[in-house]
Amino acid sequence: MILSSSTSRFLAGWLLSSAVFGVSANAQSTNSTDVASTNATSAAGFSWTKITATPDIEWHDCFDGFLCARLQVPLDWTAPNSSSHAEIAITALPPSVPTNSSQYSGPLLMNPGGPGGSGVLDILVQGKKFHQIVGTTHTLIGFDPRGINNTTPGGNCFNSALSRLAWQLQGNRASNPATIPDEAARWSSVWGQCAQRGVGKYVSTPNVARDMLAISEKVWNSAGYKGCEKGLRYWGFSYGTALGMTFANLFPDRVDRIVLDGVVDIEDWYTNARMHFMVDADKVIDRFFYYCSKAGKACAFTAPTPDGVKTRLRNLKKKLEASPMPVYNQTEPDWISLSDVFLTLFNNLLIPLVQWPSLAVDLAALEAGNSSTIRPASVGASSGISTDTGPIVPGEDATAAIFCSDAEPFRKDVPTIPELKEHYYQLVKQSEWTGSPWSGGKVQCSGWRQPPLGVQAPKKWGAKTSNPILFVNNELDPRCPVKNARAMRKLYPGAGLVSAKGGIGHCSYAVESACNLKNINKYFKDGKVEKDEVVCEVDLQPFEGLPTPISGKIA
């Protein structure tokens, strides 16, 4: 959701969510780990280890105005009476009205993507902003999915943090055909270790979907209602849309309000074909060329025409392809290769309003021979594992375990090295600039052998739900193209779609659009969708300024 080129893919909604709806660029650049630890220590004496997991919700004050709980659920939902349990870490932002009020809207669960994004962290960092959008009469719920952060059992396959770090450092920064055999072996080694420890058996998305139903019911129960009679309210971003569609297929009669934002192709997800993600990525980069040129001196990488900006980037590509650039003016020696530029682009297409001005500065500096900023831009955030005191960024193995567990065909027909190389070439053909870093995911899963246990994924996708789903997508999304949303909408009769015309970036938080916010807010209020696709205009484009606060945008 970095960690590595291959694990940054879905973390947009989580690592970069501090840019949501009007936070300064300086705030956006704050490392999520630092934010988490700050929040963790702000609640005097609070520790997740002090909370005993219970089969019913028992709230504890935490994190200055939030509530926390650990919910005990069956580790295997198909054997609910087993003595083995998962303990789900939950954080809630309380409603603005009493829960016994007729105005109370109930719990609304959120998932920031990933897979492996921490819902606990998401609510702590952005909950108050999301509350304004969905309506403060909700109890806003964030939870850490199975294998992630404060939820147990964890997804750690290493004996120590040092052994994890050593394994990570053995990874190749470059994603190309020459590195595929070594990377496949590296991942096979960690998956073998995971299998020996029994890690990953119950982390698949269908199990998490069942957990969501339990969380919703138990929060309703804690407020004095019959949760078994209530449907799910949910807003999922990126990978969170796969989780939401899985829920809708498994429990179509328990859908109350579900917003799926930045939409995954669900069949592409569960086969790990990985061919329906980067479809519009190069179109997004073309928009960078256009708006950088249009901005003139406001864009540090500008040229008189969009083609001129593209030429500058192509020349930089050729230069680094021929000769990587050494870095020796920092604390530690390093080097910058073409792969670092690809990864920088890959990570900086997500929220153009915030990211593109600094991306232009980094590219211009590298072009001039100053490589001191591009490496941090390509790396993103540091990795981490479960913690008792507060949420941090997940390790790449925990993230990969979830999507590999979902990829059923890989265990039946393991791809060969030549097939993995062919997949690489297909992705690079699809996206010149981002296909290379995206290719690593299939390599990761080639060594996964653990079949998912517990709740299983549907064999056929699509369902008539008790209430309509609302799909939301930008016109140009570098990860989840709008054609995915249009195709997925057809699988769920009666579903609606809101698209942002001219919207560039990953998920609705990447754009400035009062129309978007009003439609999402209205849906959570009345549950109704329009028969035809609603096309929203955006109010701001890259290099025209920073997003503005939410207040005043929702009527």
Side-chain angles (χ1 to χ4, degrees), residues 280-525:
D280 287 338
D282 282 7
K283 293 179 183 178
V284 172
I285 294 181
D286 285 343
R287 293 285 84 191
F288 171 76
F289 300 147
Y290 172 80
Y291 284 108
C292 182
S293 175
K294 182 181 178 182
K297 293 182 179 180
C299 175
F301 203 64
T302 195
T305 66
D307 281 344
V309 181
K310 180 186 285 189
T311 297
R312 288 183 70 174
L313 188 59
R314 285 250 169 99
N315 289 341
L316 182 58
K317 174 184 174 183
K318 292 177 182 177
K319 179 180 178 181
L320 290 171
E321 193 171 28
S323 179
M325 184 181 299
V327 180
Y328 45 82
N329 59 346
Q330 297 179 327
T331 304
E332 301 292 341
D334 205 342
W335 72 96
I336 302 298
S337 69
L338 179 58
S339 294
D340 292 305
V341 173
F342 283 153
L343 185 54
T344 295
L345 294 172
F346 183 79
N347 288 336
N348 283 275
L349 300 182
L350 306 175
I351 307 179
L353 293 178
V354 174
Q355 293 178 302
W356 281 5
S358 57
L359 171 64
V361 170
D362 290 343
L363 292 175
L366 187 60
E367 182 185 51
N370 177 2
S371 55
S372 62
T373 61
I374 199 77
R375 181 63 179 150
S378 71
V379 172
S382 61
S383 61
I385 55 176
S386 299
T387 174
D388 292 327
T389 55
I392 58 175
V393 182
E396 59 181 331
D397 53 311
T399 296
I402 298 170
F403 65 76
C404 294
S405 185
D406 287 347
E408 177 64 25
F410 268 51
R411 290 176 298 281
K412 296 178 179 178
D413 186 17
V414 179
T416 64
I417 296 299
E419 287 171 339
L420 291 172
K421 291 182 178 181
E422 177 58 29
H423 179 68
Y424 169 90
Y425 291 122
Q426 290 174 354
L427 286 173
V428 170
K429 183 177 181 180
Q430 185 179 81
S431 174
E432 173 187 359
W433 301 104
T434 67
S436 175
W438 183 248
S439 67
K442 204 157 191 172
V443 176
Q444 287 180 350
C445 292
S446 63
W448 181 266
R449 298 292 180 270
Q450 174 63 56
L453 302 182
V455 184
Q456 298 296 301
K459 299 300 181 183
K460 182 178 180 181
W461 291 100
K464 175 62 178 175
T465 55
S466 52
N467 290 291
I469 295 170
L470 179 63
F471 291 89
V472 179
N473 226 94
N474 293 331
E475 181 181 9
L476 288 176
D477 187 314
R479 297 289 195 274
C480 298
V482 69
K483 78 171 191 175
N484 285 357
R486 290 171 179 147
M488 296 304 99
R489 180 193 182 194
K490 294 177 181 178
L491 297 178
Y492 300 90
L497 171 61
V498 174
S499 62
K501 182 181 180 182
I504 312 169
H506 189 40
C507 302
S508 64
Y509 53 71
V511 302
E512 177 98 343
S513 173
C515 172
N516 256 5
L517 299 183
K518 289 176 181 177
N519 275 278
I520 294 170
N521 173 266
K522 178 180 180 297
Y523 171 76
F524 277 119
K525 283 182 176 178

Side-chain angles (χ1 to χ4, degrees), residues 66-78:
F66 293 85
L67 299 173
C68 291
R70 292 174 71 90
L71 180 64
Q72 184 186 91
V73 299
L75 183 65
D76 182 354
W77 278 105
T78 65

